[in-house]
Amino acid sequence: MESLRKVARTETSSRLRWVLNIFVISLYWGYSEGFIGGFDWPTPEPDLGIDECHDEFTIACANASMVYSDSYDLCELNANETIIHLEVDVELERLQIELASGAVCGNMRICDTLVDDLEYFKCINENGTRNLDILTEISYNASRSYTRLHEDYDAVQRTFLLCSLDAQKNYMEDLREAHRELTQCRSEIDELSE
């Protein structure tokens, strides 16, 4: 009987050593799935998971940069188109001023053709009064156009700055969200590997 117990203990300890050896060897070699006594060992792959986290982060950053670039380009395009419309609007005003100033010069040249001094001074007097009215109108129109155009350019500049600031804010928020997702992804990988 005693010898049966010794044999049983020897077999049990041999089996236990065999199971422990298999367990240690599977841990040592890092098998992705070891089967010991019906138990599947999970294999965390932190390097691959972390690479995927960083790949997603890189893609998110690239997308954020593209969106920012497109948004900034749109701000610039809108500003440029608005300036073109402003310049088209003032072309007529500019043409009117150029025609009026040409009329002033023409009025003075008409007098230059007169030989008689009395007729010359009379022409200058009459045309000078007419030219004074034209020059007053030119001055008024030019001041008004300058003031309005200056305000319009300032408004375009303000709109462009606000638009580009919104684009920058959205870009920074997108980058912050990408970083938050990277941190969360890495934390989840770390938890799985523990």
Side-chain angles (χ1 to χ4, degrees):
M1 187 78 158
E2 193 110 332
S3 46
L4 282 177
R5 283 186 195 154
K6 283 184 182 179
V7 170
R9 270 191 244 143
T10 305
E11 282 182 6
T12 303
S13 65
S14 292
R15 283 185 196 149
L16 185 59
R17 269 189 243 133
W18 184 78
V19 169
L20 285 173
N21 284 336
I22 296 286
F23 176 74
V24 169
I25 288 171
S26 67
L27 285 177
Y28 180 73
W29 285 347
Y31 288 132
S32 61
E33 288 186 34
F35 183 80
I36 300 175
F39 184 80
D40 289 331
W41 294 93
T43 304
E45 298 177 356
D47 291 341
L48 180 60
I50 286 177
D51 286 347
E52 289 172 357
C53 292
H54 284 273
D55 288 347
E56 289 177 16
F57 175 72
T58 303
I59 290 168
C61 288
N63 288 339
S65 294
M66 265 196 303
V67 168
Y68 171 67
S69 177
D70 291 346
S71 298
Y72 188 87
D73 288 347
L74 186 60
C75 294
E76 211 168 39
L77 179 67
N78 288 337
N80 289 338
E81 285 179 356
T82 305
I83 287 173
I84 289 169
H85 289 305
L86 293 175
E87 289 173 351
V88 167
D89 290 343
V90 297
E91 278 183 27
L92 179 59
E93 293 174 13
R94 185 173 180 145
L95 180 61
Q96 289 172 339
I97 289 172
E98 288 171 359
L99 289 173
S101 64
V104 167
C105 294
N107 288 339
M108 299 310 281
R109 271 192 240 112
I110 289 172
C111 297
D112 288 342
T113 61
L114 299 173
V115 178
D116 182 57
D117 290 337
L118 189 61
E119 291 296 319
Y120 173 78
F121 288 120
K122 180 181 174 192
C123 178
I124 291 291
N125 182 37
E126 289 171 355
N127 286 336
T129 304
R130 193 173 317 137
N131 284 349
L132 186 57
D133 292 339
I134 293 171
L135 289 171
T136 302
E137 188 70 22
I138 288 174
S139 179
Y140 169 77
N141 288 340
S143 296
R144 192 171 136 269
S145 296
Y146 172 80
T147 302
R148 193 188 77 250
L149 192 58
H150 193 277
E151 288 173 355
D152 290 345
Y153 281 149
D154 285 349
V156 169
Q157 182 65 19
R158 268 193 311 277
T159 302
F160 171 73
L161 286 174
L162 290 173
C163 182
S164 62
L165 284 172
D166 285 343
Q168 288 173 11
K169 177 180 173 274
N170 292 337
Y171 175 62
M172 295 307 293
E173 286 175 356
D174 289 346
L175 287 183
R176 189 171 65 234
E177 178 62 20
H179 188 266
R180 188 194 64 73
E181 288 176 4
L182 172 65
T183 303
Q184 181 179 352
C185 183
R186 290 183 62 133
S187 295
E188 289 171 3
I189 295 295
D190 288 346
E191 287 173 11
L192 287 176
S193 64
E194 290 177 357

